[in-house]
Amino acid sequence: MNDKRHPGLTDRFGRVHRDLRISLTDRCSLRCTYCMPADGVPWLARETMLSTDELVRIARVAVEMGIDEIRLTGGEPLLRPDVVDVVDRLAHLSGPLGRPEISLTTNGLRLPSLADALHDAGLTRVNVSLDTLRRDRFHELTRRDKLTETLAGIEAAHASGMKPIKINAVAMRGVNDDEIVDLTRFCVERGYQMRFIEQMPLDAGHTWDRQQMVTGEEILAQLTEHWTLTERGDRGAAPAQVWDIDGGPASVGVIASVTAPFCGTCDRVRLTADGQLRACLFARKESDLRALVRSDATDEDLAAAIAACLQLKQPGHDIDDPGFLQPDRPMSAIGG
Ligand code: SAM
Ligand code: SF4
């Protein structure tokens, strides 16, 4: 453990937390079937959403405790009107381990107009979600006809100088599992890094079905028919297991959250757009930091609340346990 970090960032199982994921909004410009319902989304009430000052204050306390990586997510984080200012303010925070690295997960739709400004503000890397290269399929999957815009967004991020560009795809049986090779080739040809994600039970409609899930093993089986893959060594706390393609430098990663959970090395903690701290995507308890920042709580009180939340963290997500309960919030309201 790095002893410059606040002891409260270490949980009961010795996991040291260094990565804070902040959801900037639960609103989204797409309606991906595995994440949101077509309509009738129960949005967070506006007055419950953290202001930028509140959000930056919580992040500052976390960085001063030793968090050194901040990932912005949502919902669609680029829908937050002041997202460039948020990035600028977060990139200027400083803690015992220096300035945090800022990254973002996005559907890419607003990147054509924002990529340069985001990069200038301190956004060094980006993950763009792209589940298919086919326009009709994209429309069906996201319930919006926006493939061209997402592709333009990826190009804009690349042109801005952000590096690496990672492309995320949730693999789904009978939906896009025939594009695993095409999506990987798309990335190899452009110097992007492909990441396939096993579908998790986090959809708003609670329709997840274990049998429908394409496993990491199945994804690898398809890839090895086309390329020679060499597994990279120690992945640390990274969710993705990464393979070099044909000796590198191109690579492909698989995030097998369900079949090969990586909870034992997890270093992530999440702040929702309405100010609730969650020690795990699947947590059933949250710590109300919004109430604290709206009271006369001190920074020490906030640090103590962050430490207390991490003490509640369970050893694993137990998706495979018969007693598993999906969290009440869908992915879009937690922050993926
Ligand atoms: N809107 C942004 C985007 O789509 O990249 C950021 C938020 S989204 C919730 C973050 C990531 O979670 C995306 O890569 C998305 O594909 C993934 N995701 C959403 N629902 C999921 C699920 N049920 N299982 C696995 N991944 C999921
Ligand atoms: Fe929106 Fe991202 Fe969820 Fe798709 S995965 S609906 S883009 S938040």
Side-chain angles (χ1 to χ4, degrees), residues 21 23 25 27-30 32-36 71-78 104-108 127-131 167-172 195 197-204 208 255 257-258 270 281-282 326 330-336:
R21 308 221 158 176
S23 173
T25 176
R27 272 56 170 183
C28 192
S29 38
L30 298 180
C32 303
T33 50
Y34 50 74
C35 182
M36 282 183 145
R71 174 170 293 274
L72 302 176
T73 179
E76 175 44 43
L78 299 185
L104 174 102
T105 303
T106 172
N107 63 28
N127 286 38
V128 186
S129 299
L130 176 71
D131 298 314
I167 305 297
N168 290 354
V170 178
M172 287 161 284
R195 295 284 181 266
I197 310 174
E198 283 181 351
Q199 190 174 351
M200 296 180 281
L202 286 167
D203 56 312
W208 183 82
I255 301 179
S257 328
V258 181
R270 292 162 202 272
L281 260 181
F282 296 94
Q326 188 170 331
M331 183 72 130
S332 57
I334 298 172

Short mmCIF file of all heavy atoms in Angstrom, two decimals, residues 21 23 25 27-30 32-36 71-78 104-108 127-131 167-172 195 197-204 208 255 257-258 270 281-282 326 330-336, ligand 1:
data_model
loop_
_atom_site.label_atom_id
_atom_site.label_comp_id
_atom_site.label_asym_id
_atom_site.label_seq_id
_atom_site.Cartn_x
_atom_site.Cartn_y
_atom_site.Cartn_z
N ARG A 21 -15.32 7.32 -9.69
CA ARG A 21 -16.15 7.48 -10.89
C ARG A 21 -17.30 8.42 -10.56
O ARG A 21 -18.05 8.16 -9.62
CB ARG A 21 -16.70 6.13 -11.32
CG ARG A 21 -15.57 5.13 -11.44
CD ARG A 21 -15.69 4.26 -12.60
NE ARG A 21 -14.37 3.73 -12.91
CZ ARG A 21 -14.12 2.85 -13.83
NH1 ARG A 21 -15.09 2.40 -14.59
NH2 ARG A 21 -12.89 2.44 -14.07
N SER A 23 -20.71 10.33 -11.73
CA SER A 23 -21.78 10.46 -12.71
C SER A 23 -22.19 11.93 -12.78
O SER A 23 -22.59 12.51 -11.77
CB SER A 23 -22.97 9.60 -12.30
OG SER A 23 -24.05 9.87 -13.18
N THR A 25 -24.61 13.19 -14.77
CA THR A 25 -26.06 13.31 -14.96
C THR A 25 -26.61 11.91 -15.20
O THR A 25 -25.89 11.02 -15.63
CB THR A 25 -26.39 14.20 -16.19
OG1 THR A 25 -27.81 14.19 -16.39
CG2 THR A 25 -25.74 13.70 -17.47
N ARG A 27 -29.28 11.77 -17.19
CA ARG A 27 -29.95 11.95 -18.49
C ARG A 27 -29.11 11.36 -19.60
O ARG A 27 -27.88 11.30 -19.49
CB ARG A 27 -30.15 13.45 -18.79
CG ARG A 27 -31.43 14.08 -18.25
CD ARG A 27 -31.63 13.92 -16.81
NE ARG A 27 -32.73 14.74 -16.30
CZ ARG A 27 -33.06 14.82 -15.02
NH1 ARG A 27 -32.38 14.14 -14.11
NH2 ARG A 27 -34.07 15.57 -14.63
N CYS A 28 -29.76 10.97 -20.69
CA CYS A 28 -28.99 10.43 -21.80
C CYS A 28 -29.65 10.74 -23.13
O CYS A 28 -30.88 10.89 -23.21
CB CYS A 28 -28.81 8.92 -21.67
SG CYS A 28 -27.59 8.33 -22.85
N SER A 29 -28.83 10.82 -24.18
CA SER A 29 -29.31 11.10 -25.53
C SER A 29 -29.60 9.81 -26.29
O SER A 29 -30.10 9.86 -27.41
CB SER A 29 -28.26 11.93 -26.27
OG SER A 29 -26.95 11.47 -25.92
N LEU A 30 -29.26 8.65 -25.71
CA LEU A 30 -29.61 7.35 -26.31
C LEU A 30 -30.47 6.58 -25.31
O LEU A 30 -30.64 7.00 -24.15
CB LEU A 30 -28.35 6.56 -26.67
CG LEU A 30 -27.40 7.18 -27.71
CD1 LEU A 30 -26.20 6.29 -27.95
CD2 LEU A 30 -28.12 7.48 -29.02
N CYS A 32 -30.08 2.83 -24.84
CA CYS A 32 -29.58 1.48 -25.08
C CYS A 32 -30.44 0.47 -24.33
O CYS A 32 -30.74 0.66 -23.15
CB CYS A 32 -28.13 1.37 -24.64
SG CYS A 32 -27.09 2.58 -25.47
N THR A 33 -30.81 -0.59 -25.03
CA THR A 33 -31.77 -1.55 -24.46
C THR A 33 -31.26 -2.18 -23.17
O THR A 33 -32.05 -2.49 -22.29
CB THR A 33 -32.05 -2.67 -25.48
OG1 THR A 33 -30.79 -3.16 -25.94
CG2 THR A 33 -32.85 -2.16 -26.65
N TYR A 34 -29.92 -2.38 -23.05
CA TYR A 34 -29.38 -3.05 -21.87
C TYR A 34 -29.20 -2.09 -20.69
O TYR A 34 -28.73 -2.48 -19.62
CB TYR A 34 -28.02 -3.71 -22.18
CG TYR A 34 -27.05 -2.79 -22.89
CD1 TYR A 34 -26.40 -1.77 -22.21
CD2 TYR A 34 -26.80 -2.93 -24.25
CE1 TYR A 34 -25.54 -0.91 -22.85
CE2 TYR A 34 -25.92 -2.08 -24.90
CZ TYR A 34 -25.29 -1.08 -24.20
OH TYR A 34 -24.45 -0.23 -24.84
N CYS A 35 -29.58 -0.83 -20.90
CA CYS A 35 -29.33 0.18 -19.87
C CYS A 35 -30.59 0.91 -19.46
O CYS A 35 -30.87 1.08 -18.27
CB CYS A 35 -28.28 1.15 -20.40
SG CYS A 35 -27.79 2.45 -19.26
N MET A 36 -31.39 1.35 -20.44
CA MET A 36 -32.55 2.20 -20.14
C MET A 36 -33.81 1.68 -20.80
O MET A 36 -33.74 1.05 -21.85
CB MET A 36 -32.28 3.60 -20.70
CG MET A 36 -31.35 4.43 -19.88
SD MET A 36 -31.26 6.05 -20.66
CE MET A 36 -31.10 7.07 -19.25
N ARG A 71 -12.91 9.22 -13.24
CA ARG A 71 -13.58 8.94 -14.51
C ARG A 71 -14.97 9.55 -14.48
O ARG A 71 -15.75 9.30 -13.56
CB ARG A 71 -13.66 7.44 -14.78
CG ARG A 71 -14.47 7.10 -16.04
CD ARG A 71 -14.34 5.65 -16.44
NE ARG A 71 -12.99 5.34 -16.88
CZ ARG A 71 -12.57 5.52 -18.14
NH1 ARG A 71 -13.38 5.99 -19.06
NH2 ARG A 71 -11.33 5.22 -18.46
N LEU A 72 -15.28 10.35 -15.49
CA LEU A 72 -16.60 10.98 -15.58
C LEU A 72 -17.51 10.11 -16.42
O LEU A 72 -17.11 9.62 -17.48
CB LEU A 72 -16.46 12.38 -16.20
CG LEU A 72 -15.51 13.29 -15.42
CD1 LEU A 72 -15.34 14.63 -16.13
CD2 LEU A 72 -16.04 13.51 -14.00
N THR A 73 -18.74 9.93 -15.93
CA THR A 73 -19.63 9.03 -16.64
C THR A 73 -21.07 9.49 -16.41
O THR A 73 -21.32 10.62 -16.02
CB THR A 73 -19.36 7.57 -16.19
OG1 THR A 73 -20.25 6.71 -16.88
CG2 THR A 73 -19.49 7.35 -14.69
N GLY A 74 -22.03 8.59 -16.65
CA GLY A 74 -23.43 8.97 -16.48
C GLY A 74 -24.30 7.74 -16.59
O GLY A 74 -23.84 6.64 -16.33
N GLY A 75 -25.48 7.92 -17.10
CA GLY A 75 -26.03 8.81 -18.09
C GLY A 75 -24.98 9.21 -19.12
O GLY A 75 -23.96 8.58 -19.26
N GLU A 76 -25.30 10.26 -19.83
CA GLU A 76 -24.34 10.74 -20.82
C GLU A 76 -23.65 12.00 -20.25
O GLU A 76 -24.26 13.07 -20.19
CB GLU A 76 -25.05 11.02 -22.15
CG GLU A 76 -24.17 11.63 -23.21
CD GLU A 76 -22.79 10.98 -23.32
OE1 GLU A 76 -22.68 9.74 -23.29
OE2 GLU A 76 -21.80 11.73 -23.42
N PRO A 77 -22.39 11.87 -19.83
CA PRO A 77 -21.73 12.98 -19.13
C PRO A 77 -21.62 14.25 -19.98
O PRO A 77 -21.61 15.35 -19.42
CB PRO A 77 -20.34 12.41 -18.79
CG PRO A 77 -20.14 11.26 -19.71
CD PRO A 77 -21.50 10.69 -19.97
N LEU A 78 -21.58 14.10 -21.32
CA LEU A 78 -21.41 15.30 -22.14
C LEU A 78 -22.70 16.11 -22.27
O LEU A 78 -22.71 17.18 -22.86
CB LEU A 78 -20.87 14.92 -23.53
CG LEU A 78 -19.50 14.24 -23.52
CD1 LEU A 78 -18.99 14.02 -24.94
CD2 LEU A 78 -18.48 15.04 -22.71
N LEU A 104 -13.06 9.82 -19.32
CA LEU A 104 -14.51 9.99 -19.53
C LEU A 104 -15.04 8.81 -20.33
O LEU A 104 -14.38 8.33 -21.24
CB LEU A 104 -14.69 11.29 -20.32
CG LEU A 104 -16.07 11.65 -20.81
CD1 LEU A 104 -16.66 12.73 -19.89
CD2 LEU A 104 -16.03 12.24 -22.21
N THR A 105 -16.23 8.36 -19.96
CA THR A 105 -16.93 7.33 -20.77
C THR A 105 -18.16 7.99 -21.37
O THR A 105 -18.96 8.59 -20.64
CB THR A 105 -17.35 6.14 -19.88
OG1 THR A 105 -16.20 5.62 -19.24
CG2 THR A 105 -17.95 5.03 -20.72
N THR A 106 -18.31 7.87 -22.69
CA THR A 106 -19.35 8.63 -23.38
C THR A 106 -19.91 7.85 -24.56
O THR A 106 -19.26 6.93 -25.07
CB THR A 106 -18.75 9.96 -23.91
OG1 THR A 106 -19.72 10.62 -24.74
CG2 THR A 106 -17.49 9.75 -24.73
N ASN A 107 -21.12 8.24 -24.98
CA ASN A 107 -21.65 7.66 -26.23
C ASN A 107 -21.12 8.43 -27.44
O ASN A 107 -21.43 8.08 -28.58
CB ASN A 107 -23.18 7.62 -26.22
CG ASN A 107 -23.83 9.00 -26.14
OD1 ASN A 107 -23.27 10.00 -26.59
ND2 ASN A 107 -25.04 9.05 -25.59
N GLY A 108 -20.36 9.46 -27.23
CA GLY A 108 -19.63 10.15 -28.30
C GLY A 108 -20.40 11.19 -29.07
O GLY A 108 -19.82 11.97 -29.83
N ASN A 127 -13.27 6.76 -23.32
CA ASN A 127 -13.87 5.50 -23.76
C ASN A 127 -15.17 5.85 -24.47
O ASN A 127 -15.99 6.56 -23.89
CB ASN A 127 -14.24 4.60 -22.57
CG ASN A 127 -13.03 3.97 -21.92
OD1 ASN A 127 -11.99 4.59 -21.81
ND2 ASN A 127 -13.18 2.73 -21.49
N VAL A 128 -15.34 5.37 -25.69
CA VAL A 128 -16.59 5.63 -26.40
C VAL A 128 -17.32 4.30 -26.59
O VAL A 128 -16.71 3.31 -27.00
CB VAL A 128 -16.34 6.30 -27.77
CG1 VAL A 128 -17.67 6.68 -28.42
CG2 VAL A 128 -15.45 7.53 -27.62
N SER A 129 -18.60 4.31 -26.28
CA SER A 129 -19.39 3.09 -26.42
C SER A 129 -19.89 2.95 -27.85
O SER A 129 -20.48 3.88 -28.40
CB SER A 129 -20.59 3.12 -25.45
OG SER A 129 -20.08 3.20 -24.14
N LEU A 130 -19.63 1.81 -28.43
CA LEU A 130 -20.05 1.53 -29.82
C LEU A 130 -20.29 0.03 -29.93
O LEU A 130 -19.34 -0.75 -29.93
CB LEU A 130 -18.93 1.97 -30.80
CG LEU A 130 -19.17 1.66 -32.27
CD1 LEU A 130 -20.28 2.56 -32.84
CD2 LEU A 130 -17.88 1.86 -33.09
N ASP A 131 -21.56 -0.36 -29.98
CA ASP A 131 -21.90 -1.79 -29.94
C ASP A 131 -22.03 -2.41 -31.32
O ASP A 131 -22.12 -3.63 -31.45
CB ASP A 131 -23.23 -1.99 -29.19
CG ASP A 131 -23.15 -1.54 -27.74
OD1 ASP A 131 -22.16 -1.88 -27.07
OD2 ASP A 131 -24.06 -0.82 -27.28
N ILE A 167 -12.74 1.72 -27.23
CA ILE A 167 -14.12 1.53 -27.70
C ILE A 167 -14.74 0.40 -26.89
O ILE A 167 -14.19 -0.69 -26.82
CB ILE A 167 -14.12 1.15 -29.21
CG1 ILE A 167 -13.37 2.22 -30.05
CG2 ILE A 167 -15.56 0.96 -29.72
CD1 ILE A 167 -13.98 3.59 -30.04
N ASN A 168 -15.88 0.70 -26.24
CA ASN A 168 -16.58 -0.30 -25.40
C ASN A 168 -17.76 -0.89 -26.16
O ASN A 168 -18.58 -0.13 -26.69
CB ASN A 168 -17.21 0.38 -24.17
CG ASN A 168 -16.19 0.85 -23.16
OD1 ASN A 168 -15.01 0.59 -23.28
ND2 ASN A 168 -16.69 1.54 -22.15
N ALA A 169 -17.88 -2.20 -26.14
CA ALA A 169 -19.09 -2.83 -26.68
C ALA A 169 -19.59 -3.88 -25.71
O ALA A 169 -18.81 -4.68 -25.20
CB ALA A 169 -18.80 -3.48 -28.03
N VAL A 170 -20.88 -3.85 -25.44
CA VAL A 170 -21.51 -4.92 -24.66
C VAL A 170 -21.88 -6.01 -25.66
O VAL A 170 -22.59 -5.75 -26.63
CB VAL A 170 -22.79 -4.41 -23.94
CG1 VAL A 170 -23.45 -5.55 -23.17
CG2 VAL A 170 -22.44 -3.26 -23.00
N ALA A 171 -21.35 -7.22 -25.46
CA ALA A 171 -21.63 -8.31 -26.40
C ALA A 171 -22.97 -8.94 -26.05
O ALA A 171 -23.22 -9.27 -24.90
CB ALA A 171 -20.52 -9.35 -26.31
N MET A 172 -23.83 -9.06 -27.08
CA MET A 172 -25.17 -9.62 -26.82
C MET A 172 -25.53 -10.69 -27.84
O MET A 172 -25.39 -10.47 -29.05
CB MET A 172 -26.20 -8.49 -26.88
CG MET A 172 -26.15 -7.57 -25.67
SD MET A 172 -26.94 -6.00 -26.01
CE MET A 172 -25.70 -5.19 -27.00
N ARG A 195 -12.71 -2.97 -26.36
CA ARG A 195 -13.02 -3.60 -25.06
C ARG A 195 -14.42 -4.20 -25.14
O ARG A 195 -15.39 -3.46 -25.35
CB ARG A 195 -13.03 -2.55 -23.94
CG ARG A 195 -11.69 -1.90 -23.68
CD ARG A 195 -10.78 -2.86 -22.90
NE ARG A 195 -9.50 -2.26 -22.63
CZ ARG A 195 -8.41 -2.39 -23.38
NH1 ARG A 195 -8.45 -3.08 -24.50
NH2 ARG A 195 -7.26 -1.83 -23.02
N ILE A 197 -17.52 -6.09 -23.22
CA ILE A 197 -18.04 -6.16 -21.84
C ILE A 197 -19.12 -7.24 -21.76
O ILE A 197 -20.03 -7.26 -22.62
CB ILE A 197 -18.68 -4.80 -21.42
CG1 ILE A 197 -17.73 -3.63 -21.72
CG2 ILE A 197 -19.11 -4.81 -19.98
CD1 ILE A 197 -18.37 -2.25 -21.47
N GLU A 198 -19.04 -8.10 -20.78
CA GLU A 198 -20.15 -9.03 -20.54
C GLU A 198 -21.33 -8.23 -20.00
O GLU A 198 -21.16 -7.36 -19.14
CB GLU A 198 -19.75 -10.09 -19.49
CG GLU A 198 -18.85 -11.18 -20.03
CD GLU A 198 -18.49 -12.23 -18.98
OE1 GLU A 198 -18.78 -12.04 -17.78
OE2 GLU A 198 -17.90 -13.24 -19.37
N GLN A 199 -22.51 -8.57 -20.50
CA GLN A 199 -23.70 -7.82 -20.06
C GLN A 199 -24.01 -8.12 -18.60
O GLN A 199 -24.00 -9.28 -18.18
CB GLN A 199 -24.90 -8.19 -20.93
CG GLN A 199 -26.08 -7.28 -20.68
CD GLN A 199 -27.23 -7.54 -21.63
OE1 GLN A 199 -27.11 -8.30 -22.58
NE2 GLN A 199 -28.36 -6.92 -21.36
N MET A 200 -24.27 -7.07 -17.83
CA MET A 200 -24.53 -7.23 -16.40
C MET A 200 -26.01 -6.93 -16.08
O MET A 200 -26.66 -6.21 -16.83
CB MET A 200 -23.65 -6.29 -15.59
CG MET A 200 -22.17 -6.60 -15.73
SD MET A 200 -21.16 -5.46 -14.75
CE MET A 200 -21.14 -4.01 -15.78
N PRO A 201 -26.51 -7.46 -14.96
CA PRO A 201 -27.91 -7.20 -14.59
C PRO A 201 -28.09 -5.80 -14.03
O PRO A 201 -28.26 -5.61 -12.82
CB PRO A 201 -28.20 -8.29 -13.54
CG PRO A 201 -26.87 -8.69 -13.01
CD PRO A 201 -25.85 -8.42 -14.07
N LEU A 202 -28.04 -4.81 -14.91
CA LEU A 202 -28.14 -3.41 -14.47
C LEU A 202 -29.11 -2.63 -15.35
O LEU A 202 -29.11 -1.41 -15.34
CB LEU A 202 -26.75 -2.75 -14.53
CG LEU A 202 -25.78 -3.16 -13.42
CD1 LEU A 202 -24.38 -2.70 -13.75
CD2 LEU A 202 -26.22 -2.59 -12.08
N ASP A 203 -29.92 -3.34 -16.13
CA ASP A 203 -30.85 -2.64 -17.01
C ASP A 203 -32.07 -2.18 -16.22
O ASP A 203 -32.49 -2.83 -15.25
CB ASP A 203 -31.30 -3.56 -18.16
CG ASP A 203 -31.91 -4.86 -17.63
OD1 ASP A 203 -31.29 -5.47 -16.74
OD2 ASP A 203 -33.01 -5.22 -18.09
N ALA A 204 -32.63 -1.06 -16.67
CA ALA A 204 -33.77 -0.49 -15.93
C ALA A 204 -34.97 -1.43 -15.96
O ALA A 204 -35.78 -1.45 -15.04
CB ALA A 204 -34.14 0.86 -16.53
N TRP A 208 -32.38 -8.78 -17.66
CA TRP A 208 -31.13 -9.52 -17.85
C TRP A 208 -31.36 -11.01 -17.70
O TRP A 208 -32.08 -11.46 -16.81
CB TRP A 208 -30.11 -9.05 -16.81
CG TRP A 208 -28.75 -9.67 -16.93
CD1 TRP A 208 -27.76 -9.29 -17.78
CD2 TRP A 208 -28.22 -10.76 -16.14
NE1 TRP A 208 -26.64 -10.05 -17.57
CE2 TRP A 208 -26.88 -10.97 -16.58
CE3 TRP A 208 -28.72 -11.56 -15.13
CZ2 TRP A 208 -26.06 -11.94 -16.02
CZ3 TRP A 208 -27.90 -12.54 -14.57
CH2 TRP A 208 -26.59 -12.72 -15.02
N ILE A 255 -13.90 -7.52 -20.57
CA ILE A 255 -14.31 -7.22 -19.20
C ILE A 255 -15.36 -8.27 -18.81
O ILE A 255 -16.53 -8.14 -19.13
CB ILE A 255 -14.86 -5.78 -19.10
CG1 ILE A 255 -13.76 -4.80 -19.57
CG2 ILE A 255 -15.32 -5.46 -17.68
CD1 ILE A 255 -14.17 -3.33 -19.56
N SER A 257 -17.02 -9.29 -16.21
CA SER A 257 -17.48 -8.98 -14.85
C SER A 257 -18.31 -10.10 -14.24
O SER A 257 -18.34 -10.26 -13.03
CB SER A 257 -18.36 -7.73 -14.84
OG SER A 257 -17.96 -6.84 -15.81
N VAL A 258 -19.01 -10.87 -15.09
CA VAL A 258 -19.92 -11.89 -14.55
C VAL A 258 -19.19 -13.23 -14.40
O VAL A 258 -19.21 -13.83 -13.32
CB VAL A 258 -21.17 -12.05 -15.45
CG1 VAL A 258 -22.11 -13.10 -14.87
CG2 VAL A 258 -21.88 -10.72 -15.61
N ARG A 270 -17.92 5.03 -6.41
CA ARG A 270 -18.73 5.81 -7.34
C ARG A 270 -19.58 6.87 -6.65
O ARG A 270 -20.17 6.61 -5.60
CB ARG A 270 -19.68 4.86 -8.09
CG ARG A 270 -18.95 3.94 -9.01
CD ARG A 270 -19.80 2.74 -9.41
NE ARG A 270 -18.91 1.68 -9.85
CZ ARG A 270 -18.48 1.53 -11.09
NH1 ARG A 270 -18.90 2.32 -12.05
NH2 ARG A 270 -17.63 0.57 -11.39
N LEU A 281 -20.73 -1.06 -7.90
CA LEU A 281 -21.84 -0.92 -8.86
C LEU A 281 -23.09 -1.60 -8.31
O LEU A 281 -24.20 -1.13 -8.50
CB LEU A 281 -21.47 -1.69 -10.14
CG LEU A 281 -20.95 -0.95 -11.35
CD1 LEU A 281 -20.70 -1.95 -12.48
CD2 LEU A 281 -21.90 0.13 -11.82
N PHE A 282 -22.87 -2.74 -7.62
CA PHE A 282 -23.99 -3.56 -7.17
C PHE A 282 -24.36 -3.31 -5.71
O PHE A 282 -25.12 -4.07 -5.13
CB PHE A 282 -23.66 -5.04 -7.40
CG PHE A 282 -23.50 -5.36 -8.85
CD1 PHE A 282 -22.25 -5.35 -9.44
CD2 PHE A 282 -24.61 -5.61 -9.64
CE1 PHE A 282 -22.11 -5.60 -10.79
CE2 PHE A 282 -24.47 -5.86 -10.99
CZ PHE A 282 -23.22 -5.86 -11.57
N GLN A 326 -30.62 -7.38 -7.83
CA GLN A 326 -30.17 -6.26 -8.68
C GLN A 326 -30.36 -4.95 -7.91
O GLN A 326 -31.37 -4.79 -7.21
CB GLN A 326 -31.01 -6.26 -9.97
CG GLN A 326 -30.53 -5.28 -11.00
CD GLN A 326 -31.22 -5.47 -12.36
OE1 GLN A 326 -31.64 -6.56 -12.72
NE2 GLN A 326 -31.32 -4.40 -13.11
N PRO A 330 -30.82 1.78 -11.96
CA PRO A 330 -30.24 1.23 -13.18
C PRO A 330 -28.84 1.83 -13.42
O PRO A 330 -28.47 2.81 -12.78
CB PRO A 330 -31.22 1.69 -14.26
CG PRO A 330 -31.82 2.94 -13.72
CD PRO A 330 -31.85 2.77 -12.22
N MET A 331 -28.10 1.23 -14.32
CA MET A 331 -26.75 1.68 -14.63
C MET A 331 -26.70 3.18 -14.93
O MET A 331 -25.80 3.89 -14.49
CB MET A 331 -26.26 0.90 -15.87
CG MET A 331 -24.86 1.19 -16.30
SD MET A 331 -23.67 0.50 -15.16
CE MET A 331 -22.59 -0.35 -16.29
N SER A 332 -27.70 3.68 -15.68
CA SER A 332 -27.67 5.08 -16.08
C SER A 332 -27.75 6.03 -14.88
O SER A 332 -27.33 7.18 -14.98
CB SER A 332 -28.82 5.38 -17.04
OG SER A 332 -30.05 5.04 -16.43
N ALA A 333 -28.30 5.56 -13.76
CA ALA A 333 -28.41 6.42 -12.58
C ALA A 333 -27.30 6.14 -11.57
O ALA A 333 -27.20 6.82 -10.55
CB ALA A 333 -29.78 6.25 -11.93
N ILE A 334 -26.47 5.13 -11.84
CA ILE A 334 -25.33 4.86 -10.96
C ILE A 334 -24.10 5.53 -11.55
O ILE A 334 -23.38 6.26 -10.89
CB ILE A 334 -25.06 3.34 -10.82
CG1 ILE A 334 -26.24 2.63 -10.19
CG2 ILE A 334 -23.79 3.11 -10.00
CD1 ILE A 334 -26.11 1.11 -10.19
N GLY A 335 -23.89 5.28 -12.82
CA GLY A 335 -22.67 5.77 -13.48
C GLY A 335 -21.80 4.57 -13.78
O GLY A 335 -21.25 3.96 -12.87
N GLY A 336 -21.72 4.21 -15.04
CA GLY A 336 -21.03 2.97 -15.45
C GLY A 336 -19.53 3.12 -15.47
O GLY A 336 -19.00 4.17 -15.22
N1 SAM B 1 -23.40 7.09 -21.70
C1 SAM B 1 -22.03 6.73 -21.60
C2 SAM B 1 -21.69 5.53 -22.46
O1 SAM B 1 -22.62 4.87 -22.93
O2 SAM B 1 -20.51 5.26 -22.64
C3 SAM B 1 -21.55 6.50 -20.18
C4 SAM B 1 -22.45 5.75 -19.25
S1 SAM B 1 -22.73 4.05 -19.67
C5 SAM B 1 -23.79 3.54 -18.35
C6 SAM B 1 -21.12 3.37 -19.29
C7 SAM B 1 -20.84 2.00 -19.87
O3 SAM B 1 -21.68 1.07 -19.26
C8 SAM B 1 -21.08 1.89 -21.38
O4 SAM B 1 -19.91 1.39 -22.01
C9 SAM B 1 -22.19 0.90 -21.48
O5 SAM B 1 -22.07 0.10 -22.63
C10 SAM B 1 -22.03 0.09 -20.21
N2 SAM B 1 -23.25 -0.57 -19.79
C11 SAM B 1 -24.49 -0.05 -19.63
N3 SAM B 1 -25.36 -0.98 -19.21
C12 SAM B 1 -24.66 -2.14 -19.10
C13 SAM B 1 -24.99 -3.48 -18.71
N4 SAM B 1 -26.23 -3.82 -18.37
N5 SAM B 1 -24.00 -4.40 -18.71
C14 SAM B 1 -22.74 -4.07 -19.08
N6 SAM B 1 -22.36 -2.83 -19.44
C15 SAM B 1 -23.31 -1.88 -19.46
#
